Amino acid sequence: MRDITVKTLALFAMVLTLSACGDKEPQLMNLKATQSGPDEFSILPTKPLQEPESYKALPAPTPGGANRSDVTPMKDAVAALGGRPDRLDRTGIRSGEAGVVNYASRHGVSGSIRNQLAAEDLEWRRDNKGRLLERLFNVNVYYRAYTNMHLDQNHELERLRRLGVWTPSAPPQVVN
C-alpha cells in the first residue's frame, strides 16, 4: 500500500515539474470562452456574391487586398452608422495635432519602437507569469504583474493641483 502511495506522489511531482517547463508565451490574463459556438460579433454581413463576366479575366488573388464583392466594408459601416466615410481616407497629421506630434518627437523617433516595446513586454510577462500553483490552476495574475505601472487618477489629480496645473475636466476640488 505504501509503495502505491509513493509511486502516486512521485508521478504527481513529475507532472507538476513538467508543467512548469512550458516554453510558450506567458498569458497573464486567463480568459476562456464560455461557449463553443461562433462569436456573433466576428460575422460581418457582406454584399451578395456576383458571378464575374469571365473567369479567365479574374485578377490573381492578393492576400490582404480588397474584396471584389465588398470593396469598402469599413466605409460602408461608418456610413451606415451615420458617420463620414471620407475621413477614413485621410492620412498624416491633422493640423490641430502638429504641435503635439512635434513636442512628442523632440528627442527623435525610433522606427522600431513597436518591436522594442513588444520584446520588453514579453520579457516582463515571462518574469511575472505567476507562481507554479497560479499557473497550474489558471489564476489571473495580470493585475498583480502590472500593479506598479498603473496610474492612480486621484493621486495624479492631487499632484497636478499641488503644482497649480489647471484641471478643467476633473471634478471640482472638495473644500472642507
Side-chain angles (χ1 to χ4, degrees):
M1 178 71 179
R2 185 168 188 262
D3 190 39
I4 294 173
T5 306
V6 170
K7 286 181 181 178
T8 305
L9 287 174
L11 180 66
F12 183 69
M14 259 185 2
V15 168
L16 277 177
T17 304
L18 289 175
S19 69
C21 296
D23 196 28
K24 62 183 180 180
E25 189 172 313
Q27 299 291 324
L28 304 183
M29 188 74 92
N30 298 318
L31 300 175
K32 301 211 188 276
T34 57
Q35 307 174 28
S36 60
D39 182 8
E40 60 272 9
F41 294 108
S42 68
I43 299 170
L44 180 69
T46 57
K47 296 176 184 172
L49 294 176
Q50 299 173 354
E51 187 174 356
E53 294 175 15
S54 168
Y55 285 102
K56 292 183 180 187
L58 286 175
T62 55
N67 182 345
R68 290 174 47 95
S69 64
D70 196 5
V71 182
T72 57
M74 291 293 288
K75 287 184 178 181
D76 295 344
V78 169
L81 294 171
R84 294 175 48 192
D86 60 314
R87 287 193 160 193
L88 295 175
D89 293 333
R90 296 182 186 171
T91 57
I93 301 168
R94 297 183 194 140
S95 60
E97 297 171 346
V100 173
V101 171
N102 288 336
Y103 183 77
S105 59
R106 68 190 180 279
H107 298 296
V109 179
S110 171
S112 63
I113 189 67
R114 290 178 189 262
N115 296 333
Q116 178 186 345
L117 290 176
E120 289 173 0
D121 187 57
L122 178 61
E123 181 181 342
W124 178 263
R125 286 184 287 134
R126 281 191 179 136
D127 292 343
N128 294 281
K129 66 181 175 183
R131 294 179 279 270
L132 176 64
L133 290 177
E134 289 173 333
R135 291 193 312 261
L136 187 65
F137 293 107
N138 273 339
V139 174
N140 192 342
V141 295
Y142 177 85
Y143 297 106
R144 185 171 45 84
Y146 289 102
T147 192
N148 59 350
M149 293 184 185
H150 88 281
L151 177 65
D152 181 359
Q153 62 185 8
N154 295 322
H155 185 308
E156 183 65 11
L157 178 62
E158 291 305 315
R159 185 186 75 82
L160 292 172
R161 284 182 174 161
R162 279 194 306 272
L163 291 172
V165 175
W166 185 50
T167 53
S169 63
Q173 192 168 5
V174 177
V175 180
N176 294 331

